[in-house]
Amino acid sequence: MNAGNSRAPGVIDEQITRVEARVSELPDRLQAHIERARTIGRELSAIFGVDSLRVDLALAGHDLYRAASDEEMLETATRRGIVPGALDLEQPLMLHGPLAAIWMADEGGVADKEVLDAVQHHTTFAPGLGPLAATVFLADKIEPDKVERRPWLTAVADLAHGGDWKDAVRAYIERLDAELKRQGVTPHPLAMRAFDALGKPVVDA
Ligand SMILES: [Fe+2]
Ligand SMILES: [Fe+2]
């Protein structure tokens, strides 16, 4: 429906309106998180030189399935033709990004692959993603409430505000990995592959 013109501001505005109608049905605390992430997304878009409207569209829709139950996510995934892997069955929450991307493509009329990829991989990041997806990823992670709950995110926010999205994404994955190891949780393989793809490790601050 948006062939050839899917990145035009008017088209994106329309898509954001469609996504916002769905967001308005989500729990208040989730809506508030989405709002905070969108605010940070605008700041980071200017810093990283990416299209703030496309970032805003991705952030508006990134958590559409965040409040769904495990059963609902597994059932929706199966209905959408996703065969849940062992990790998805163990942590169905990992499906909330992929399901949101499917909703945005099918119901939201979004054809912009970078926006859909950013939504799909906003939890773990993934190899091969660029600055738009990184902006979405980082805005979701360094919104003020999350930084308050996890003080180590301040270092990630500082790196992001310094303008190097690769450094900031690597630092996030590295520090989350350390946190998960302390908790005895296996880090997600996509995050590990993304970390390797982004290059050199960050020297711990
Ligand atoms: Fe999320
Ligand atoms: Fe989020």
Side-chain angles (χ1 to χ4, degrees):
M1 114 175 61
N2 301 315
N5 199 23
S6 64
R7 294 183 188 177
V11 172
I12 299 180
D13 281 335
E14 234 172 76
Q15 293 167 343
I16 290 176
T17 303
R18 218 170 300 158
V19 172
E20 281 174 339
R22 177 68 193 268
V23 168
S24 71
E25 297 164 3
L26 298 176
D28 289 349
R29 56 170 180 80
L30 186 52
Q31 289 192 46
H33 157 66
I34 291 167
E35 240 354 276
R36 289 189 297 270
R38 289 175 73 178
T39 301
I40 303 293
R42 280 186 275 275
E43 281 173 33
L44 294 183
S45 295
I47 293 172
F48 298 144
V50 296
D51 184 338
S52 63
L53 212 49
R54 293 167 72 208
V55 166
D56 197 43
L57 173 60
L59 282 168
H62 81 285
D63 273 344
L64 285 176
Y65 283 86
R66 182 64 181 79
S69 67
D70 288 358
E71 293 72 28
E72 195 180 341
M73 274 189 280
L74 286 168
E75 198 260 329
T76 310
T78 307
R79 202 154 22 89
R80 295 288 191 171
I82 299 176
V83 181
L87 207 65
D88 298 325
L89 291 170
E90 205 180 296
Q91 299 175 47
L93 189 60
M94 299 311 294
L95 289 165
H96 82 276
L99 290 177
I102 290 173
W103 188 95
M104 288 180 78
D106 290 356
E107 325 284 334
V110 177
D112 185 335
K113 189 175 180 311
E114 274 184 86
V115 168
L116 296 174
D117 284 347
V119 172
Q120 176 171 355
H121 297 297
H122 79 265
T123 309
T124 58
F125 210 65
L129 296 180
L132 188 140
T135 309
V136 171
F137 179 78
L138 290 166
D140 176 43
K141 310 305 182 205
I142 63 169
E143 59 95 336
D145 267 36
K146 287 193 179 174
V147 176
E148 205 177 305
R149 274 182 276 138
R150 284 172 155 160
W152 59 264
L153 284 170
T154 306
V156 177
D158 288 347
L159 285 168
H161 286 106
D164 188 330
W165 63 265
K166 288 188 181 178
D167 265 358
V169 172
R170 269 198 305 257
Y172 176 84
I173 294 173
E174 190 176 48
R175 284 166 172 80
L176 180 68
D177 181 40
E179 183 181 279
L180 292 175
K181 276 190 182 134
R182 281 196 299 275
Q183 296 169 350
V185 177
T186 312
H188 197 284
L190 257 187
M192 294 297 99
R193 280 171 45 213
F195 181 85
D196 291 341
L198 285 168
K200 63 175 175 33
V202 172
V203 177
D204 217 340

